[in-house]
């Protein structure tokens, strides 16, 4: 299967459940999510401020459901987006880009949600620690993102709807000191962004 190009982006900044970035240009094209960076994809479609709490509440169900399934989850973008974090060690061997059998079993639990493209836009970011140089980090995160994307395509029996990014080692969540911290930084983040239809339905049910 031919790999899709993974965009390398260094401008994502997520902390405390909020997108910490400058206001986005209206040029972000929601019709072609592969043409924009990850920050724009995570911010689009936007939710009107007066409907934010309603959408966050509706997305909270997905966050809780995936947490009950054993995933580390949290709400970002004020709870409007569900983020799943998977340690790379659960999916890959050291320096490997081949998904382990147990990793495929873990990812299979996400397939029923990833295929709901009517409800969620799915964005994936793969991160590395600072072991090795930046070129290596970008290459292995891109290759791992492609491997996961190809797994989902195979599991769905067609093209994967996931928008994959290999982000290298530029977004650590812990200091790159010691084994435990480096393991935290080697991670896969899968974001479920509510679609316009999801937002409209949540708003109507208010």
């Amino acid at each position: 299967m031919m790999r899709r190009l993974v965009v390398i982006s260094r401008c994502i900044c997520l902390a405390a459940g909020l997108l910490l970035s400058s206001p986005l240009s209206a040029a972000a094209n929601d019709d072609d999510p592969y043409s924009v960076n990850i920050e724009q994809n995570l911010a689009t479609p936007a939710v009107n401020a007066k409907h934010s709490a309603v959408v966050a509440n509706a997305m909270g169900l997905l966050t809780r459901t995936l947490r009950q399934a054993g995933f580390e989850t949290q709400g970002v973008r004020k709870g409007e987006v569900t983020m799943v974090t998977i340690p790379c060690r659960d999916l890959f061997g050291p320096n490997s880009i081949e998904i382990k059998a147990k990793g495929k079993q873990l990812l299979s639990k996400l397939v029923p949600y990833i295929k709901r493209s009517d409800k969620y836009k799915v964005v994936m970011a793969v991160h590395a620690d600072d072991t090795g140089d930046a070129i290596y980090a970008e290459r292995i995160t891109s290759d791992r993102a492609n491997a996961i994307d190809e797994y989902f395509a195979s599991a769905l029996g067609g093209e994967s709807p996931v928008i994959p990014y290999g982000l290298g080692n530029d977004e650590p969540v812990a200091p790159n000191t010691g084994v435990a911290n480096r393991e935290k930084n080697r991670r896969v983040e899968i974001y479920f962004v509510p679609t316009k239809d999801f937002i409209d339905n949540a708003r109507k049910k208010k």
Side-chain angles (χ1 to χ4, degrees):
M1 182 182 297
M2 183 178 294
R3 291 182 179 177
R4 282 192 289 173
L5 175 66
V6 174
V7 180
I8 302 297
S9 173
R10 300 183 179 185
C11 59
I12 180 174
C13 185
L14 287 167
L18 298 175
L19 279 170
L20 303 181
S21 61
S22 58
L24 296 173
S25 166
N29 183 0
D30 190 39
D31 293 330
D32 185 14
Y34 297 96
S35 70
V36 299
N37 62 41
I38 188 171
E39 190 174 48
Q40 289 168 308
N41 264 315
L42 292 179
T44 309
V47 178
N48 187 296
K50 66 180 180 180
H51 300 135
S52 178
V54 173
V55 173
N57 183 61
M59 287 298 293
L61 176 60
L62 176 63
T63 302
R64 294 189 296 273
T65 298
L66 292 177
R67 186 176 298 144
Q68 290 170 358
F71 291 99
E72 178 186 340
T73 65
Q74 69 179 94
V76 299
R77 211 182 80 177
K78 300 180 180 179
E80 298 166 357
V81 173
T82 294
M83 179 178 76
V84 174
T85 302
I86 305 173
C88 281
R89 68 174 182 271
D90 291 351
L91 303 178
F92 302 96
N95 301 308
S96 174
I97 61 172
E98 182 177 350
I99 304 174
K100 299 187 293 188
K102 288 185 177 180
K104 291 180 180 179
Q105 292 175 4
L106 181 62
L107 292 174
S108 70
K109 297 180 182 180
L110 294 175
V111 171
Y113 306 97
I114 286 175
K115 71 179 182 181
R116 292 301 306 271
S117 57
D118 58 322
K119 298 180 69 174
Y120 314 115
K121 176 173 69 172
V122 184
V123 180
M124 175 177 60
V126 181
H127 300 267
D129 63 18
D130 69 348
T131 303
D133 59 25
I135 294 175
Y136 172 78
E138 290 183 350
R139 183 173 67 248
I140 194 169
T141 56
S142 294
D143 287 346
R144 285 177 168 181
N146 274 318
I148 297 169
D149 186 46
E150 289 177 4
Y151 166 78
F152 285 131
S154 177
L156 292 169
E159 186 175 355
S160 165
V162 175
I163 305 165
Y165 294 85
L167 297 183
N169 58 16
D170 289 335
E171 299 295 335
V173 292
N176 277 297
T177 54
V179 174
N181 279 345
R182 287 195 174 97
E183 282 193 346
K184 291 178 182 178
N185 290 331
R186 297 192 300 271
R187 67 199 189 277
V188 177
E189 294 169 343
I190 299 176
Y191 299 86
F192 292 87
V193 183
T195 62
K196 185 177 184 302
D197 285 345
F198 183 98
I199 294 167
D200 289 343
N201 288 334
R203 178 177 54 83
K204 290 174 184 177
K205 293 177 181 179
K206 180 179 178 181

